[in-house]
Amino acid sequence: MKGFLWLGLFLAGIWSAIALYPGLAGQGSYDSLILDFDNRLTPQQIEQLVQPLGLTDQLQVQSDFSRDRNLYILQGSAAELKELRQSAKGDLKEVIERIEPNYQYHTALVPNDPDYSRQWNLRAIGMESAWRRATGKGVTVAVIDTGITPVPDLNNTRMVEGYNFVNHSSDASDDNGHGTHVAGT
């Protein structure tokens, strides 16, 4: 019985260490904010709501995939984040679900992505040791998936013409987001 108690305490300790360990991720930097508006709002309603704040011209849809989900990008700093969060507690609290920094992470030998600790598959295949030997510069990677849609994370990626094996055409636009996700990873 005493052995089971020690085993239980040991496993609880291991579990809490893994669950609470943030991984090797560092805080990223940001110069823009993500505003998540209520999905029931139309783009015209959102424009009317942000007009008194003087943000109409600065607000941009995050990507094609986020248009229906009302996710917008706004250039901004920590001060503007704080100010918008205060507004969201007042005038905008019924229509803005979240206001978050739009962190930008850059590949290092070990990623500074805050969710890196959750990407168990990269550690399982030994990517950290591979990154110590090569960073991928000059390497061509083929993604055979649902296609790719341009998103900010892929702005600095040189793409070649794709091929749609289902429709037998050169239009390899992503039709559900999975290929874009895989290309980003």
Side-chain angles (χ1 to χ4, degrees), residues 77-110:
S77 63
E80 284 137 341
L81 174 64
K82 184 177 180 182
E83 184 180 324
L84 277 171
R85 283 183 171 165
Q86 290 299 324
S87 295
K89 289 180 182 172
D91 304 337
L92 301 175
K93 75 178 177 184
E94 299 297 323
V95 294
I96 293 185
E97 295 174 2
R98 274 188 305 264
I99 302 171
E100 301 293 334
N102 185 22
Y103 286 111
Q104 298 292 315
Y105 294 95
H106 306 281
T107 303
L109 292 178
V110 176

Side-chain angles (χ1 to χ4, degrees), residues 65 104-105 143 147-159 174 177-185:
F65 294 112
Q104 298 292 315
Y105 294 95
V143 176
I148 294 177
T149 297
V151 293
D153 286 356
L154 299 174
N155 280 347
N156 295 327
T157 304
R158 197 180 102 212
M159 305 282 184
D174 197 349
H178 189 269
T180 304
H181 166 77
V182 169
T185 301

Side-chain angles (χ1 to χ4, degrees):
M1 188 66 177
K2 192 175 187 181
F4 283 117
L5 176 62
W6 283 111
L7 178 63
L9 289 172
F10 174 75
L11 292 175
I14 294 292
W15 179 84
S16 65
I18 291 170
L20 298 176
Y21 179 66
L24 300 172
Q27 274 288 32
S29 59
Y30 65 92
D31 60 1
S32 61
L33 310 172
I34 297 175
L35 280 69
D36 184 1
F37 288 91
D38 187 315
N39 292 343
R40 295 171 292 190
L41 295 175
T42 65
Q44 295 78 17
Q45 290 172 315
I46 292 171
E47 188 174 326
Q48 289 173 352
L49 289 165
V50 299
Q51 194 169 16
L53 301 173
L55 305 175
T56 309
D57 295 336
Q58 301 168 20
L59 211 56
Q60 302 171 16
V61 175
Q62 185 183 15
S63 72
D64 289 339
F65 294 112
S66 61
R67 187 177 309 279
D68 294 337
R69 299 194 56 211
N70 284 341
L71 291 174
Y72 287 83
I73 298 273
L74 174 70
Q75 295 301 313
S77 63
E80 284 137 341
L81 174 64
K82 184 177 180 182
E83 184 180 324
L84 277 171
R85 283 183 171 165
Q86 290 299 324
S87 295
K89 289 180 182 172
D91 304 337
L92 301 175
K93 75 178 177 184
E94 299 297 323
V95 294
I96 293 185
E97 295 174 2
R98 274 188 305 264
I99 302 171
E100 301 293 334
N102 185 22
Y103 286 111
Q104 298 292 315
Y105 294 95
H106 306 281
T107 303
L109 292 178
V110 176
N112 62 355
D113 183 337
D115 288 333
Y116 179 65
S117 62
R118 296 180 182 163
Q119 296 172 3
W120 58 269
N121 56 322
L122 296 177
R123 285 186 307 281
I125 63 172
M127 283 307 297
E128 290 177 8
S129 62
W131 290 326
R132 284 196 274 290
R133 295 178 186 202
T135 59
K137 186 174 182 172
V139 173
T140 301
V141 176
V143 176
I144 301 173
D145 211 303
T146 60
I148 294 177
T149 297
V151 293
D153 286 356
L154 299 174
N155 280 347
N156 295 327
T157 304
R158 197 180 102 212
M159 305 282 184
V160 297
E161 185 176 9
Y163 186 77
N164 186 325
F165 288 91
V166 174
N167 297 323
H168 304 291
S169 71
S170 61
D171 180 16
S173 299
D174 197 349
D175 54 5
N176 74 13
H178 189 269
T180 304
H181 166 77
V182 169
T185 301

